[in-house]
Amino acid sequence: MLLLVATFFMAFVLLLYMLSPLISPKPLALPGAHVVVTGGSSGIGKCIAIECYKQGAFITLVARNEDRLLQAKKEIEKHSINDKQVVLCISVDVSQDYSQVENVIKQAQEKLGPVDMLVNCAGMSISGKFEDVEVSTFERLMSINYLGSVYPSRAVITTMKERRVGRIVFLSSQAGQVGLFGFTAYSSSKFAIRGLAEALQMEVKPYNVYVTVAYPPDTDTPGFAEENKTKPLETRLISETTSICTPEQVAKQIVKDAIVVTMGLFRMLSLLYLRSFDTIIRRCMVERTKYEITDKTA
Amino acid sequence: MLLLVATFFMAFVLLLYMLSPLISPKPLALPGAHVVVTGGSSGIGKCIAIECYKQGAFITLVARNEDRLLQAKKEIEKHSINDKQVVLCISVDVSQDYSQVENVIKQAQEKLGPVDMLVNCAGMSISGKFEDVEVSTFERLMSINYLGSVYPSRAVITTMKERRVGRIVFLSSQAGQVGLFGFTAYSSSKFAIRGLAEALQMEVKPYNVYVTVAYPPDTDTPGFAEENKTKQGNFNSSIGSDGYMLSSLTCGMAPVTSITEGLQQVVTMGLFRMLSLLYLRSFDTIIRRCMVERTKYEITDKTA
């Protein structure tokens, strides 16, 4: 009897919460919208730009390398659906200096109007054991992946709050949901993105600005190729438990989730996964120790 | 029938996991152990140093300000339980330069032997709205709270792995479990600590080195006495009933060191998620009310 009452009560509360107007934000209309994509010259960023462009948006691509920006621009423009669409390219390092980033956003807004959606794709990945990774890597990854998302977001947030409309997308990673072997520096930067996004969303929700955090799995991009260069064996073996995606798949899902604004069993499964990871790591360690012993006795 | 089978199967798997030798790490013996506490001259760090000292450890305090270090040293030494105990003070900024930190750890190890436990308490907190906080704050908090934990950890990890014993403690925060209004810069740095700790734990587990992440409430420093995290090597360390709920709710893919912890998480997850949604709704209401008030105030200001 008590259980029944409790269930009804919970269901009622959840219903209330569901009907709360904040739950169903109006979808962002992409045709004519101004979308800024940092890290938009390659990888997931470029695919997101293409996806938005295909749906009628005006794109500002932000990245460091001018040649790659122009190449990406040409590729994106192939997907135009009308004559008015524009792809603007601006070259800057989004992690270096906030005033530079502010300036870039200002330029973009002068040409294409206020920013409706900002997609923070600028980022890089380096993997390796905690004591093997170069010491500067911790700061570098945090700078590019985290500060490089903070600065552009800060440059657009005031206008978005004033206009009472906006979308900010952050690219975290599955490594930002679980700390994995070989990703001490990378996971930290991607976890930080999540903390930033959660706190930011709480601040901007009353202003009809919505934050999306994406957690892509291993995706077939130049960034991933870079990550694989120094990847330890344990990390590679663990990664084999999930499949690799194409950036197009990832981009489509991210854009869909950004426009529209949504355990028990999973926890058990996650415990099983963790155990298998630990087993892989332990086996590698045993192998390595054996190898060192035979090496010494040889 | 199927449900029964499924339950038995799950129970069997969990039992296996329980019996796995990695589940019950030998408690670290504090008497005679060398404990390094960064940020140990004040706050939680100082209290942790006192607590370890009371249990017989040899302490190395690391902080920036020499006067406060000496004051803390005097305070800690009052709690000595034998003649041999030592409190060593070394002044350095743990977030500036890795080679300096490496040097400090080397000095400490020359005087008090290899480090058995490292407690990363060096940190600071600044809160404010995302667009109001000084731009440099994001980098500063990340530098002190995150890099300031990375560098000392890196300086001790190789020796700990060689000796096959060690504890590394990270201080996150409840703001590192949930991103809160006004904590964009701080929450990010504390979430980063969690990612670091999870990844590091996965790497060092086979070497009998254990990582603990603490999620203290973001207010006054509570007594460290009620926390036995150093003895059991729990991954999650939380305080109070709110803390318990948050830790269970946000356990995510964090590892467990005890079967009861895992079972508790499995059973309470759904309920706590519902509770968390209620909490979030009340936060949103508070924020929305404040915003409406503020807008009204601005309108009356203009018409005045």
mmCIF file of all heavy atoms in Angstrom, chain B residues 148-185:
data_model
loop_
_atom_site.group_PDB
_atom_site.id
_atom_site.type_symbol
_atom_site.label_atom_id
_atom_site.label_comp_id
_atom_site.label_asym_id
_atom_site.label_seq_id
_atom_site.Cartn_x
_atom_site.Cartn_y
_atom_site.Cartn_z
ATOM 1 N N GLY B 148 48.456 21.654 -9.879
ATOM 2 C CA GLY B 148 49.042 21.565 -8.551
ATOM 3 C C GLY B 148 48.836 20.208 -7.898
ATOM 4 O O GLY B 148 49.425 19.905 -6.873
ATOM 5 N N SER B 149 47.956 19.388 -8.472
ATOM 6 C CA SER B 149 47.800 18.011 -8.000
ATOM 7 C C SER B 149 48.537 17.046 -8.925
ATOM 8 O O SER B 149 49.016 15.995 -8.503
ATOM 9 C CB SER B 149 46.320 17.622 -7.940
ATOM 10 O OG SER B 149 45.637 18.405 -6.992
ATOM 11 N N VAL B 150 48.628 17.408 -10.196
ATOM 12 C CA VAL B 150 49.319 16.544 -11.160
ATOM 13 C C VAL B 150 50.804 16.444 -10.830
ATOM 14 O O VAL B 150 51.373 15.349 -10.774
ATOM 15 C CB VAL B 150 49.171 17.099 -12.600
ATOM 16 C CG1 VAL B 150 50.093 16.371 -13.551
ATOM 17 C CG2 VAL B 150 47.732 16.948 -13.074
ATOM 18 N N TYR B 151 51.444 17.584 -10.611
ATOM 19 C CA TYR B 151 52.889 17.590 -10.457
ATOM 20 C C TYR B 151 53.387 16.792 -9.245
ATOM 21 O O TYR B 151 54.263 15.938 -9.389
ATOM 22 C CB TYR B 151 53.421 19.028 -10.434
ATOM 23 C CG TYR B 151 53.211 19.774 -11.740
ATOM 24 C CD1 TYR B 151 53.164 21.163 -11.783
ATOM 25 C CD2 TYR B 151 53.052 19.095 -12.950
ATOM 26 C CE1 TYR B 151 52.979 21.853 -12.977
ATOM 27 C CE2 TYR B 151 52.862 19.765 -14.140
ATOM 28 C CZ TYR B 151 52.828 21.137 -14.157
ATOM 29 O OH TYR B 151 52.640 21.809 -15.335
ATOM 30 N N PRO B 152 52.830 17.023 -8.030
ATOM 31 C CA PRO B 152 53.308 16.199 -6.918
ATOM 32 C C PRO B 152 53.028 14.709 -7.148
ATOM 33 O O PRO B 152 53.861 13.861 -6.823
ATOM 34 C CB PRO B 152 52.498 16.722 -5.713
ATOM 35 C CG PRO B 152 52.058 18.088 -6.110
ATOM 36 C CD PRO B 152 51.857 18.039 -7.575
ATOM 37 N N SER B 153 51.865 14.407 -7.725
ATOM 38 C CA SER B 153 51.531 13.003 -7.962
ATOM 39 C C SER B 153 52.544 12.372 -8.891
ATOM 40 O O SER B 153 52.984 11.234 -8.710
ATOM 41 C CB SER B 153 50.128 12.874 -8.556
ATOM 42 O OG SER B 153 49.178 13.521 -7.734
ATOM 43 N N ARG B 154 52.903 13.109 -9.913
ATOM 44 C CA ARG B 154 53.855 12.570 -10.875
ATOM 45 C C ARG B 154 55.231 12.367 -10.247
ATOM 46 O O ARG B 154 55.957 11.450 -10.582
ATOM 47 C CB ARG B 154 53.961 13.508 -12.064
ATOM 48 C CG ARG B 154 54.810 12.874 -13.119
ATOM 49 C CD ARG B 154 54.549 13.437 -14.446
ATOM 50 N NE ARG B 154 55.736 13.221 -15.264
ATOM 51 C CZ ARG B 154 55.730 12.808 -16.487
ATOM 52 N NH1 ARG B 154 54.585 12.601 -17.072
ATOM 53 N NH2 ARG B 154 56.841 12.620 -17.160
ATOM 54 N N ALA B 155 55.553 13.255 -9.270
ATOM 55 C CA ALA B 155 56.866 13.155 -8.639
ATOM 56 C C ALA B 155 56.980 11.935 -7.735
ATOM 57 O O ALA B 155 58.073 11.451 -7.483
ATOM 58 C CB ALA B 155 57.164 14.427 -7.853
ATOM 59 N N VAL B 156 55.862 11.423 -7.242
ATOM 60 C CA VAL B 156 55.936 10.281 -6.319
ATOM 61 C C VAL B 156 55.557 8.957 -6.958
ATOM 62 O O VAL B 156 55.816 7.889 -6.415
ATOM 63 C CB VAL B 156 55.042 10.487 -5.059
ATOM 64 C CG1 VAL B 156 55.440 11.735 -4.316
ATOM 65 C CG2 VAL B 156 53.586 10.478 -5.423
ATOM 66 N N ILE B 157 54.916 9.022 -8.127
ATOM 67 C CA ILE B 157 54.281 7.806 -8.647
ATOM 68 C C ILE B 157 55.274 6.706 -8.999
ATOM 69 O O ILE B 157 55.019 5.516 -8.756
ATOM 70 C CB ILE B 157 53.372 8.148 -9.859
ATOM 71 C CG1 ILE B 157 52.406 6.996 -10.099
ATOM 72 C CG2 ILE B 157 54.162 8.420 -11.115
ATOM 73 C CD1 ILE B 157 51.416 6.789 -8.988
ATOM 74 N N THR B 158 56.412 7.068 -9.571
ATOM 75 C CA THR B 158 57.332 6.018 -10.004
ATOM 76 C C THR B 158 57.859 5.213 -8.811
ATOM 77 O O THR B 158 57.884 3.981 -8.850
ATOM 78 C CB THR B 158 58.532 6.621 -10.769
ATOM 79 O OG1 THR B 158 58.044 7.629 -11.628
ATOM 80 C CG2 THR B 158 59.257 5.562 -11.573
ATOM 81 N N THR B 159 58.234 5.926 -7.748
ATOM 82 C CA THR B 159 58.713 5.224 -6.557
ATOM 83 C C THR B 159 57.616 4.356 -5.947
ATOM 84 O O THR B 159 57.848 3.228 -5.530
ATOM 85 C CB THR B 159 59.200 6.233 -5.496
ATOM 86 O OG1 THR B 159 60.007 7.201 -6.129
ATOM 87 C CG2 THR B 159 60.000 5.526 -4.417
ATOM 88 N N MET B 160 56.390 4.885 -5.892
ATOM 89 C CA MET B 160 55.289 4.102 -5.338
ATOM 90 C C MET B 160 55.067 2.834 -6.141
ATOM 91 O O MET B 160 54.841 1.750 -5.591
ATOM 92 C CB MET B 160 53.992 4.934 -5.322
ATOM 93 C CG MET B 160 53.936 5.970 -4.228
ATOM 94 S SD MET B 160 52.318 6.798 -4.191
ATOM 95 C CE MET B 160 52.504 7.830 -2.753
ATOM 96 N N LYS B 161 55.143 2.945 -7.474
ATOM 97 C CA LYS B 161 54.916 1.763 -8.308
ATOM 98 C C LYS B 161 56.044 0.754 -8.090
ATOM 99 O O LYS B 161 55.819 -0.454 -8.048
ATOM 100 C CB LYS B 161 54.824 2.155 -9.785
ATOM 101 C CG LYS B 161 53.483 2.764 -10.160
ATOM 102 C CD LYS B 161 53.461 3.281 -11.588
ATOM 103 C CE LYS B 161 53.121 2.177 -12.582
ATOM 104 N NZ LYS B 161 52.880 2.724 -13.940
ATOM 105 N N GLU B 162 57.289 1.261 -7.933
ATOM 106 C CA GLU B 162 58.408 0.335 -7.713
ATOM 107 C C GLU B 162 58.271 -0.395 -6.385
ATOM 108 O O GLU B 162 58.497 -1.596 -6.298
ATOM 109 C CB GLU B 162 59.731 1.107 -7.723
ATOM 110 C CG GLU B 162 60.242 1.441 -9.110
ATOM 111 C CD GLU B 162 61.444 2.370 -9.052
ATOM 112 O OE1 GLU B 162 62.004 2.529 -7.940
ATOM 113 O OE2 GLU B 162 61.811 2.940 -10.086
ATOM 114 N N ARG B 163 57.881 0.356 -5.345
ATOM 115 C CA ARG B 163 57.763 -0.254 -4.007
ATOM 116 C C ARG B 163 56.510 -1.093 -3.862
ATOM 117 O O ARG B 163 56.343 -1.805 -2.878
ATOM 118 C CB ARG B 163 57.744 0.838 -2.933
ATOM 119 C CG ARG B 163 58.997 1.669 -2.853
ATOM 120 C CD ARG B 163 58.802 2.812 -1.857
ATOM 121 N NE ARG B 163 58.669 2.341 -0.486
ATOM 122 C CZ ARG B 163 57.815 2.846 0.399
ATOM 123 N NH1 ARG B 163 57.009 3.829 0.046
ATOM 124 N NH2 ARG B 163 57.768 2.387 1.626
ATOM 125 N N ARG B 164 55.618 -0.988 -4.835
ATOM 126 C CA ARG B 164 54.337 -1.670 -4.797
ATOM 127 C C ARG B 164 53.524 -1.257 -3.574
ATOM 128 O O ARG B 164 52.814 -2.059 -2.977
ATOM 129 C CB ARG B 164 54.499 -3.203 -4.766
ATOM 130 C CG ARG B 164 55.142 -3.796 -5.984
ATOM 131 C CD ARG B 164 54.221 -3.727 -7.186
ATOM 132 N NE ARG B 164 54.664 -4.628 -8.250
ATOM 133 C CZ ARG B 164 55.522 -4.308 -9.205
ATOM 134 N NH1 ARG B 164 56.036 -3.106 -9.240
ATOM 135 N NH2 ARG B 164 55.856 -5.200 -10.127
ATOM 136 N N VAL B 165 53.637 0.005 -3.173
ATOM 137 C CA VAL B 165 52.768 0.490 -2.100
ATOM 138 C C VAL B 165 52.650 1.998 -2.198
ATOM 139 O O VAL B 165 53.616 2.692 -2.528
ATOM 140 C CB VAL B 165 53.306 0.090 -0.705
ATOM 141 C CG1 VAL B 165 54.604 0.806 -0.379
ATOM 142 C CG2 VAL B 165 52.279 0.426 0.371
ATOM 143 N N GLY B 166 51.433 2.480 -1.920
ATOM 144 C CA GLY B 166 51.268 3.923 -1.938
ATOM 145 C C GLY B 166 49.803 4.320 -1.918
ATOM 146 O O GLY B 166 48.924 3.531 -2.264
ATOM 147 N N ARG B 167 49.586 5.551 -1.456
ATOM 148 C CA ARG B 167 48.245 6.124 -1.501
ATOM 149 C C ARG B 167 48.371 7.531 -2.054
ATOM 150 O O ARG B 167 49.249 8.295 -1.633
ATOM 151 C CB ARG B 167 47.632 6.239 -0.092
ATOM 152 C CG ARG B 167 47.306 4.943 0.589
ATOM 153 C CD ARG B 167 46.052 4.292 0.022
ATOM 154 N NE ARG B 167 45.602 3.197 0.844
ATOM 155 C CZ ARG B 167 46.089 1.964 0.792
ATOM 156 N NH1 ARG B 167 47.056 1.687 -0.050
ATOM 157 N NH2 ARG B 167 45.603 1.025 1.575
ATOM 158 N N ILE B 168 47.508 7.858 -2.987
ATOM 159 C CA ILE B 168 47.454 9.236 -3.458
ATOM 160 C C ILE B 168 46.028 9.735 -3.237
ATOM 161 O O ILE B 168 45.064 9.095 -3.673
ATOM 162 C CB ILE B 168 47.833 9.371 -4.942
ATOM 163 C CG1 ILE B 168 49.256 8.884 -5.150
ATOM 164 C CG2 ILE B 168 47.725 10.833 -5.371
ATOM 165 C CD1 ILE B 168 49.772 9.099 -6.559
ATOM 166 N N VAL B 169 45.922 10.846 -2.530
ATOM 167 C CA VAL B 169 44.606 11.405 -2.242
ATOM 168 C C VAL B 169 44.440 12.700 -3.006
ATOM 169 O O VAL B 169 45.329 13.544 -3.015
ATOM 170 C CB VAL B 169 44.459 11.690 -0.729
ATOM 171 C CG1 VAL B 169 43.080 12.244 -0.434
ATOM 172 C CG2 VAL B 169 44.706 10.417 0.062
ATOM 173 N N PHE B 170 43.310 12.834 -3.670
ATOM 174 C CA PHE B 170 42.991 14.070 -4.361
ATOM 175 C C PHE B 170 41.794 14.721 -3.681
ATOM 176 O O PHE B 170 40.860 14.050 -3.265
ATOM 177 C CB PHE B 170 42.620 13.806 -5.821
ATOM 178 C CG PHE B 170 43.756 13.316 -6.657
ATOM 179 C CD1 PHE B 170 43.885 11.965 -6.950
ATOM 180 C CD2 PHE B 170 44.709 14.190 -7.143
ATOM 181 C CE1 PHE B 170 44.935 11.505 -7.721
ATOM 182 C CE2 PHE B 170 45.768 13.728 -7.920
ATOM 183 C CZ PHE B 170 45.877 12.382 -8.207
ATOM 184 N N LEU B 171 41.845 16.039 -3.570
ATOM 185 C CA LEU B 171 40.706 16.758 -3.017
ATOM 186 C C LEU B 171 39.898 17.347 -4.159
ATOM 187 O O LEU B 171 40.305 18.329 -4.780
ATOM 188 C CB LEU B 171 41.182 17.890 -2.082
ATOM 189 C CG LEU B 171 41.393 17.588 -0.627
ATOM 190 C CD1 LEU B 171 40.078 17.618 0.138
ATOM 191 C CD2 LEU B 171 42.073 16.264 -0.380
ATOM 192 N N SER B 172 38.762 16.719 -4.416
ATOM 193 C CA SER B 172 37.837 17.325 -5.361
ATOM 194 C C SER B 172 36.861 18.133 -4.509
ATOM 195 O O SER B 172 37.274 18.800 -3.575
ATOM 196 C CB SER B 172 37.141 16.257 -6.201
ATOM 197 O OG SER B 172 36.193 16.850 -7.070
ATOM 198 N N SER B 173 35.588 18.045 -4.774
ATOM 199 C CA SER B 173 34.613 18.846 -4.046
ATOM 200 C C SER B 173 33.246 18.371 -4.501
ATOM 201 O O SER B 173 33.120 17.713 -5.528
ATOM 202 C CB SER B 173 34.795 20.323 -4.415
ATOM 203 O OG SER B 173 33.679 21.083 -4.005
ATOM 204 N N GLN B 174 32.203 18.696 -3.744
ATOM 205 C CA GLN B 174 30.873 18.373 -4.242
ATOM 206 C C GLN B 174 30.625 19.144 -5.541
ATOM 207 O O GLN B 174 29.870 18.705 -6.396
ATOM 208 C CB GLN B 174 29.808 18.705 -3.188
ATOM 209 C CG GLN B 174 29.749 17.636 -2.123
ATOM 210 C CD GLN B 174 28.605 17.824 -1.147
ATOM 211 O OE1 GLN B 174 27.928 18.831 -1.150
ATOM 212 N NE2 GLN B 174 28.410 16.834 -0.284
ATOM 213 N N ALA B 175 31.317 20.267 -5.660
ATOM 214 C CA ALA B 175 31.231 21.000 -6.923
ATOM 215 C C ALA B 175 31.973 20.277 -8.035
ATOM 216 O O ALA B 175 31.935 20.698 -9.187
ATOM 217 C CB ALA B 175 31.789 22.413 -6.754
ATOM 218 N N GLY B 176 32.646 19.181 -7.674
ATOM 219 C CA GLY B 176 33.297 18.350 -8.678
ATOM 220 C C GLY B 176 32.437 17.151 -9.026
ATOM 221 O O GLY B 176 32.814 16.308 -9.830
ATOM 222 N N GLN B 177 31.275 17.071 -8.384
ATOM 223 C CA GLN B 177 30.312 16.011 -8.703
ATOM 224 C C GLN B 177 29.136 16.603 -9.465
ATOM 225 O O GLN B 177 28.516 15.942 -10.293
ATOM 226 C CB GLN B 177 29.805 15.353 -7.421
ATOM 227 C CG GLN B 177 30.889 14.616 -6.674
ATOM 228 C CD GLN B 177 30.414 14.071 -5.359
ATOM 229 O OE1 GLN B 177 29.904 14.811 -4.538
ATOM 230 N NE2 GLN B 177 30.590 12.788 -5.149
ATOM 231 N N VAL B 178 28.827 17.845 -9.167
ATOM 232 C CA VAL B 178 27.749 18.512 -9.888
ATOM 233 C C VAL B 178 28.180 19.939 -10.198
ATOM 234 O O VAL B 178 28.710 20.633 -9.342
ATOM 235 C CB VAL B 178 26.442 18.484 -9.073
ATOM 236 C CG1 VAL B 178 26.668 18.973 -7.655
ATOM 237 C CG2 VAL B 178 25.374 19.327 -9.727
ATOM 238 N N GLY B 179 27.976 20.339 -11.444
ATOM 239 C CA GLY B 179 28.328 21.690 -11.833
ATOM 240 C C GLY B 179 27.281 22.652 -11.307
ATOM 241 O O GLY B 179 26.101 22.541 -11.615
ATOM 242 N N LEU B 180 27.706 23.585 -10.453
ATOM 243 C CA LEU B 180 26.741 24.474 -9.826
ATOM 244 C C LEU B 180 26.856 25.899 -10.323
ATOM 245 O O LEU B 180 27.926 26.345 -10.734
ATOM 246 C CB LEU B 180 26.955 24.475 -8.303
ATOM 247 C CG LEU B 180 26.547 23.198 -7.578
ATOM 248 C CD1 LEU B 180 27.064 23.228 -6.154
ATOM 249 C CD2 LEU B 180 25.042 23.039 -7.589
ATOM 250 N N PHE B 181 25.758 26.626 -10.223
ATOM 251 C CA PHE B 181 25.709 28.036 -10.553
ATOM 252 C C PHE B 181 26.862 28.748 -9.865
ATOM 253 O O PHE B 181 27.062 28.622 -8.676
ATOM 254 C CB PHE B 181 24.382 28.612 -10.053
ATOM 255 C CG PHE B 181 24.099 30.004 -10.558
ATOM 256 C CD1 PHE B 181 23.102 30.222 -11.487
ATOM 257 C CD2 PHE B 181 24.821 31.087 -10.076
ATOM 258 C CE1 PHE B 181 22.820 31.495 -11.954
ATOM 259 C CE2 PHE B 181 24.560 32.367 -10.547
ATOM 260 C CZ PHE B 181 23.559 32.572 -11.477
ATOM 261 N N GLY B 182 27.597 29.541 -10.631
ATOM 262 C CA GLY B 182 28.662 30.335 -10.040
ATOM 263 C C GLY B 182 29.985 29.608 -9.920
ATOM 264 O O GLY B 182 30.967 30.155 -9.431
ATOM 265 N N PHE B 183 29.996 28.352 -10.382
ATOM 266 C CA PHE B 183 31.219 27.575 -10.216
ATOM 267 C C PHE B 183 31.776 27.070 -11.536
ATOM 268 O O PHE B 183 32.416 26.026 -11.570
ATOM 269 C CB PHE B 183 30.959 26.383 -9.289
ATOM 270 C CG PHE B 183 30.913 26.760 -7.834
ATOM 271 C CD1 PHE B 183 29.759 26.552 -7.089
ATOM 272 C CD2 PHE B 183 32.011 27.328 -7.219
ATOM 273 C CE1 PHE B 183 29.713 26.908 -5.747
ATOM 274 C CE2 PHE B 183 31.979 27.687 -5.874
ATOM 275 C CZ PHE B 183 30.821 27.476 -5.139
ATOM 276 N N THR B 184 31.545 27.818 -12.618
ATOM 277 C CA THR B 184 32.055 27.335 -13.896
ATOM 278 C C THR B 184 33.557 27.086 -13.817
ATOM 279 O O THR B 184 34.038 26.024 -14.220
ATOM 280 C CB THR B 184 31.776 28.337 -15.035
ATOM 281 O OG1 THR B 184 31.946 29.671 -14.538
ATOM 282 C CG2 THR B 184 30.357 28.174 -15.536
ATOM 283 N N ALA B 185 34.306 28.032 -13.250
ATOM 284 C CA ALA B 185 35.754 27.843 -13.200
ATOM 285 C C ALA B 185 36.148 26.793 -12.164
ATOM 286 O O ALA B 185 37.025 25.957 -12.405
ATOM 287 C CB ALA B 185 36.445 29.168 -12.885
#
